[in-house]
Amino acid sequence: AQTVTQSQPEMSVQEAETVTLSCTYDTSESDYYLFWYKQPPSRQMILVIRQEAYKQQNATENRFSVNFQKAAKSFSLKISDSQLGDAAMYFCAYILVGSARQLTFGSGTQLTVLP
Amino acid sequence: EPEVTQTPSHQVTQMGQEVILRCVPISNHLYFYWYRQILGQKVEFLVSFYNNEISEKSEIFDDQFSVERPDGSNFTLKIRSTKLEDSAMYFCASTNRDSGNTIYFGEGSWLTVV
């Protein structure tokens, strides 16, 4: 079975500090994309960052970066200089390349940003 | 920036009633999806749709669910006889190969069955 595991149901971080959210996944395929989505209280699903599995370089989007370890099947999200607006549920997910197969989501990590 | 739009944003319906949730995917996208998120739970895949037919569906997508692309822009999810356990946020999403398999989500339709 293809699964995504987020072992931290809840995390908190002080404003302006850095926090890392963990994610591991399990697939026998070698070609896939990984994503972090953010879900604020409005419940909209907002794409934060994506990583192609064939790329060794870690993706970065402004204050958001990932640590992608393909052999370990690990895909963590680092948020630098945390802001109050970063408070949300964060979901890790992946999709297999080559077809319109569905995203497989983790159970989410609820991030609280403390002022 | 193009976006996926969904209507209604919130619907309350009585158990046993039919519900249609509507979506307008991003215009040049070819793959469409419905996902569901029960309150406090993870996002679950329901169905994918390509070339005017269902590509894949999950075990959740039983006979009471159906999808349709009635014209060139809309993509609908119909629940024929709603049950209490159908209460959830329903997300429409779309993608195409040019977007690198990135799936873009709408803002969701919150369905409450009473």
Side-chain angles (χ1 to χ4, degrees):
Chain A
Q2 296 170 341
T3 60
V4 178
T5 302
Q6 294 180 246
S7 58
Q8 307 151 315
E10 297 177 352
M11 291 279 286
S12 62
V13 62
Q14 208 72 38
E15 196 176 1
E17 296 295 310
T18 296
V19 65
T20 299
L21 309 183
S22 302
C23 173
T24 59
Y25 58 93
D26 185 18
T27 177
S28 57
E29 304 280 341
S30 60
D31 211 3
Y32 47 87
Y33 291 90
L34 294 154
F35 304 91
W36 280 96
Y37 283 91
K38 168 184 176 181
Q39 189 178 44
S42 66
R43 302 198 72 191
Q44 184 180 359
M45 293 291 286
I46 302 167
L47 177 67
V48 175
I49 197 166
R50 76 174 217 159
Q51 172 81 42
E52 293 89 337
Y54 65 86
K55 287 187 177 178
Q56 292 185 332
Q57 185 174 7
N58 289 322
T60 299
E61 283 288 338
N62 300 314
R63 298 182 294 106
F64 298 88
S65 62
V66 298
N67 183 6
F68 174 47
Q69 303 289 329
K70 190 172 186 179
K73 296 182 181 176
S74 170
F75 182 60
S76 60
L77 174 70
K78 186 171 83 170
I79 307 173
S80 304
D81 185 25
S82 298
Q83 300 175 0
L84 294 177
D86 295 333
M89 180 73 88
Y90 287 80
F91 290 98
C92 176
Y94 77 90
I95 189 169
L96 301 176
V97 171
S99 70
R101 301 186 197 184
Q102 70 270 22
L103 277 168
T104 300
F105 280 90
S107 55
T109 296
Q110 180 68 50
L111 178 67
T112 301
V113 181
L114 304 168
Chain B
E1 185 175 319
E3 58 182 23
V4 177
T5 58
Q6 290 185 239
T7 54
S9 57
H10 188 193
Q11 183 163 350
V12 180
T13 189
Q14 289 209 320
M15 193 168 55
Q17 294 296 304
E18 177 182 284
V19 162
I20 297 176
L21 306 179
R22 292 182 168 79
C23 169
V24 179
I26 295 173
S27 62
N28 63 340
H29 285 186
L30 300 176
Y31 302 89
F32 315 122
Y33 306 84
W34 284 100
Y35 287 81
R36 180 181 82 174
Q37 186 183 31
I38 294 171
L39 188 63
Q41 297 186 22
K42 71 164 71 174
V43 180
E44 301 172 292
F45 168 75
L46 290 178
V47 66
S48 60
F49 192 87
Y50 171 71
N51 201 25
N52 286 320
E53 61 183 23
I54 291 174
S55 303
E56 289 184 74
K57 59 183 181 179
S58 71
E59 59 274 10
I60 302 169
F61 194 87
D62 60 23
D63 291 344
Q64 70 160 344
F65 291 94
S66 63
V67 289
E68 201 175 40
R69 188 157 164 80
D71 52 43
S73 59
N74 290 287
F75 179 53
T76 62
L77 174 69
K78 182 192 289 186
I79 309 174
R80 287 192 185 82
S81 178
T82 50
K83 299 184 281 228
L84 294 176
E85 54 265 37
D86 294 327
S87 295
M89 178 73 93
Y90 289 82
F91 291 102
C92 176
S94 69
T95 189
N96 65 12
R97 297 287 172 85
D98 292 338
S99 67
N101 284 279
T102 297
I103 293 183
Y104 294 91
F105 286 81
E107 294 190 353
S109 292
W110 179 239
L111 177 64
T112 302
V113 182
V114 296

